Structures are given as C-alpha cells and as structure tokens.
Amino acid sequence: MKLVTPEIAARYRADGHWGDESLDRVFARNAASAPDRIAIVDAPNRARLASGKAKRLSYAEAARAVDRLAALLRAHGLGTGSRILIQLPNIHEMLLLYLACARIGTIISPVPMPYRRHELTQIVDQLQPDAICGIARFANRAAMQEDLCELPTAAGCVRFGWGDDLPEGVIALDAVLDAAIGIVDAPTEAFAS
C-alpha cells in the first residue's frame, strides 16, 4: 500500500527524513548486536492498568517473542495488507505486537483505551479489520468482553487477546510469549530513580 507519491518519498529521502531500512530490520540489527541489552520495560504501575506484573525484556527475549507472534498471526491468515484493530494500554505486549505486525506487513490501527463500543463500532465499520486484539481487563473493566467481542465484524475476523478470563473464541497470546521468552518478573527496585 502506497500512502505517498514517489516524488514525495524521494524528497523525504533526499532531505534525510526517510531511510530505506524497515522497522523490522532496525529491530533485528539491534537484537543481533546487543541481545542481552534491555529492550522493553513496563511501567511500574502496570498492575493498575492490566493483569500481570511489570516485565523487563532483553532484545533476545523480545526478538523470540516477535518471531512467535509473527508466526501465529500468519497462521491465522494475517499478512501483507491485512488490517488489525489494536486496543491495548502501553504495556510490553503492545510493542511486541507492533513489531510482529511490522514484520509481516499487517497494517495496525491503534485505538485509545477509553474508546468504548460506540466509538469502536464506527471504527470497525470504516476499517473492516481482519483481526482485533485487546486485553481481558483494563483498570477493572472487562474490556474484551464488554467492547471488543461485541463489535459487529465481517465473517472471519480473528480476535486475539492477553490476560486472564478472555471470552470464548478469543485466541490467548500469553502462552505464546511465555513460551518464547520465559518472561520473569521485573524487581520493583529496577524502576527506582
């Protein structure tokens, strides 16, 4: 999908605003050159927003998780030009999903967490997503159950989610990440300033 004309792209490259290296390539290069370096750190208040404790992931762990997520998304029919609506707070899972989608060419349509069924229905009507991804609970609200699973979507729209108590029919992603990276809890003192 081309969003700009070749002339605008050439001007952006000439001005140094754009390069030819993809996000996936930049991430892979960083993971290869510094696999043990910390790549992703959850905010210390994560438990107030989403289930699970704050995590710290190295580049190697994140790269394995992205590999697994990309393979899972492909196995469910997503790829170049597919559209996925994502409603996730700022947690490590969101970043890993963004990187996996970038790898396989899936177009991400992020929506803010405060959006509820009314706003989401309008977005789904326009976007016609091939997949939807969210979180079971957000700030004590059953986000997947109350909003994302109730959206009218086209047949074949796949629903993915993170967290405990996902509604029936939602493909749980937690085990994919846990198996890929053996996530360990980040000690609280790691966030002290």
Side-chain angles (χ1 to χ4, degrees):
M1 171 185 288
K2 301 288 182 187
L3 299 177
V4 298
T5 65
E7 295 79 22
I8 291 173
R11 188 178 80 222
Y12 286 174
R13 282 188 178 90
D15 291 346
H17 300 303
W18 280 8
D20 292 316
E21 199 169 25
S22 69
L23 175 63
D24 185 51
R25 214 172 266 156
V26 171
F27 175 71
R29 186 181 67 240
N30 287 335
S33 67
D36 296 327
R37 187 174 182 187
I38 296 298
I40 303 170
V41 178
D42 273 326
N45 69 337
R46 178 205 165 102
R48 282 186 265 157
L49 300 176
S51 63
K53 295 180 182 175
K55 310 287 183 198
R56 297 170 61 88
L57 283 72
S58 69
Y59 271 101
E61 291 169 325
R64 286 193 302 274
V66 169
D67 290 345
R68 294 270 179 111
L69 278 172
L72 180 94
L73 295 174
R74 277 194 202 109
H76 286 281
L78 300 179
T80 302
S82 297
R83 295 172 306 277
I84 184 169
L85 181 139
I86 297 174
Q87 188 180 38
L88 293 168
N90 190 13
I91 56 177
H92 71 272
E93 293 93 336
M94 180 186 68
L95 181 54
L96 295 172
L97 186 60
Y98 274 47
L99 290 167
C101 287
R103 171 156 316 153
I104 65 173
T106 294
I107 301 164
I108 300 165
S109 182
V111 295
M113 289 306 299
Y115 283 15
R116 301 296 296 267
R117 195 174 311 164
H118 175 75
E119 295 90 356
L120 294 170
T121 298
Q122 294 177 46
I123 293 168
V124 165
D125 286 346
Q126 292 295 310
L127 181 63
Q128 294 297 306
D130 301 295
I132 293 173
C133 186
I135 192 162
R137 301 204 66 71
F138 175 70
N140 298 320
R141 181 172 65 83
M144 283 295 294
Q145 183 68 47
E146 293 175 14
D147 297 316
L148 294 178
C149 284
E150 299 300 321
L151 295 174
T153 59
C157 181
V158 183
R159 285 178 169 79
F160 300 100
W162 271 285
D164 299 330
D165 301 323
L166 288 168
E168 188 174 328
V170 175
I171 298 165
L173 299 175
D174 297 273
V176 173
L177 293 183
D178 291 347
I181 58 182
I183 297 175
V184 295
D185 293 340
T188 307
E189 61 271 11
F191 300 107
S193 28

